[in-house]
Amino acid sequence: LSELEALMERMKRLQEDKEDEEASQEEMATRFEKEKKESLLVISGGICTFPVTVSFDDEIVSTDVSRYIEDPGFGYKDFARRGEEHLPTFRAQDYTWENHGFSLVNRLYSDIGHLLDEKFRMVYNLTYNTMATHEDVDTTMLRRALFNYVHCMYGIRYDDYDYGEVNQLLERSLKVYIKTVTCYPERTTKRMYDSYWRQFKHSEKVHVNLLLMEARMQAELLYALRAITRHLT
């Protein structure tokens, strides 16, 4: 099977499995922890399959980017140290954008919550209902896997989501691309862009980028707004 056909087959199989039998809460929690730990080992340019210590603290930002920034050492840091046994988890059910973040940010800056919410919803729901040459395809499952994987990298878990879908739908090269674009955008290369979903249209892959950026922004907002809420209470 081609990459596209294999992906569509996995989507179909996952949908059938979900209809036949849903995973237990314990199984879903285990799958999340596995995916969360693996995401810490995903690095730009490759994915490690065994525990390693990788530090980017001393890396020098490439000269073509450094001239635009004041602090070359400023950048993404993993939410937990590699090798830690118990990684922190932000349970989305305890603090969600819809139920908590939206109302707080509107209080802090009038109407900005409505604008942000509209932006999140528009990008998340954007679809042509196509996958490359296939039409009338429901891509909801795939879009949710992309969005939730970014939140998983930031330690955010949705209790009602089976993270086994992430592992089934997002192949190695795509996870590398997601981690790079989301956390180290200056390292993104055309080779990475070309390495995943080779049969998809550019417009579909650009939508992936938009989805990743909005997921990252919402994750950052959730952490910041939760901290503000705790301070106010």
Side-chain angles (χ1 to χ4, degrees):
L1 292 178
S2 68
E3 180 186 37
L4 173 62
E5 298 298 335
L7 177 58
M8 293 193 66
E9 182 61 31
R10 288 196 297 272
M11 290 174 62
K12 180 182 177 181
R13 188 168 62 248
L14 283 170
Q15 188 61 46
E16 291 172 349
D17 291 344
K18 185 182 295 187
E19 293 172 356
D20 292 340
E21 183 179 359
E22 290 190 4
S24 66
Q25 282 295 317
E26 184 178 355
E27 288 174 323
M28 290 196 289
T30 300
R31 291 169 184 173
F32 168 77
E33 290 299 326
K34 179 180 178 181
E35 204 63 51
K36 180 174 65 172
K37 289 180 179 179
E38 182 195 87
S39 73
L40 291 176
L41 301 177
V42 175
I43 59 176
S44 60
I47 177 171
C48 305
T49 56
F50 52 89
V52 293
T53 300
V54 181
S55 174
F56 297 113
D57 295 344
D58 301 323
E59 284 197 6
I60 299 174
V61 179
S62 60
T63 54
D64 60 329
V65 175
S66 61
R67 67 176 181 269
Y68 299 113
I69 59 178
E70 295 180 0
D71 181 7
F74 180 81
Y76 169 83
K77 295 189 187 308
D78 285 320
F79 70 93
R81 293 181 179 179
R82 295 175 177 85
E84 285 187 4
E85 188 64 28
H86 301 290
L87 304 179
T89 295
F90 183 134
R91 295 182 71 253
Q93 276 65 18
D94 296 336
Y95 198 94
T96 66
W97 165 254
E98 292 80 8
N99 298 331
H100 306 90
F102 172 80
S103 57
L104 175 59
V105 81
N106 259 346
R107 281 171 49 200
L108 299 174
Y109 194 130
S110 181
D111 292 332
I112 193 67
H114 294 287
L115 297 174
L116 287 170
D117 191 62
E118 182 181 359
K119 186 162 71 87
F120 291 146
R121 291 178 185 275
M122 180 181 68
V123 173
Y124 186 86
N125 295 320
L126 181 64
T127 179
Y128 301 128
N129 292 313
T130 64
M131 284 180 63
T133 57
H134 293 265
E135 298 182 351
D136 298 322
V137 180
D138 184 355
T139 61
T140 304
M141 180 182 290
L142 193 54
R143 283 180 280 124
R144 190 177 186 191
L146 289 164
F147 192 92
N148 284 1
Y149 182 64
V150 173
H151 279 204
C152 178
M153 292 194 307
Y154 281 83
I156 300 174
R157 181 196 168 203
Y158 295 88
D159 291 347
D160 61 348
Y161 182 68
D162 182 359
Y163 288 85
E165 293 184 11
V166 168
N167 197 45
Q168 289 288 318
L169 298 177
L170 310 184
E171 71 275 10
R172 174 182 181 273
S173 60
L174 181 51
K175 286 182 177 179
V176 171
Y177 182 76
I178 292 172
K179 182 70 176 275
T180 306
V181 168
T182 306
C183 305
Y184 312 102
E186 73 280 2
R187 300 179 190 169
T188 308
T189 65
K190 188 172 186 302
R191 182 178 179 182
M192 289 182 185
Y193 173 84
D194 291 336
S195 69
Y196 80 96
W197 289 0
R198 289 177 286 269
Q199 295 168 296
F200 281 66
K201 300 173 185 175
H202 287 301
S203 59
E204 293 171 314
K205 297 178 78 166
V206 167
H207 180 211
V208 170
N209 284 4
L210 293 175
L211 199 57
L212 300 182
M213 292 298 97
E214 294 305 318
R216 186 187 75 170
M217 183 177 187
Q218 190 178 108
E220 292 168 340
L221 276 172
L222 284 174
Y223 274 103
L225 294 172
R226 185 180 67 168
I228 292 173
T229 298
R230 289 176 174 175
H231 174 74
L232 294 175
T233 56

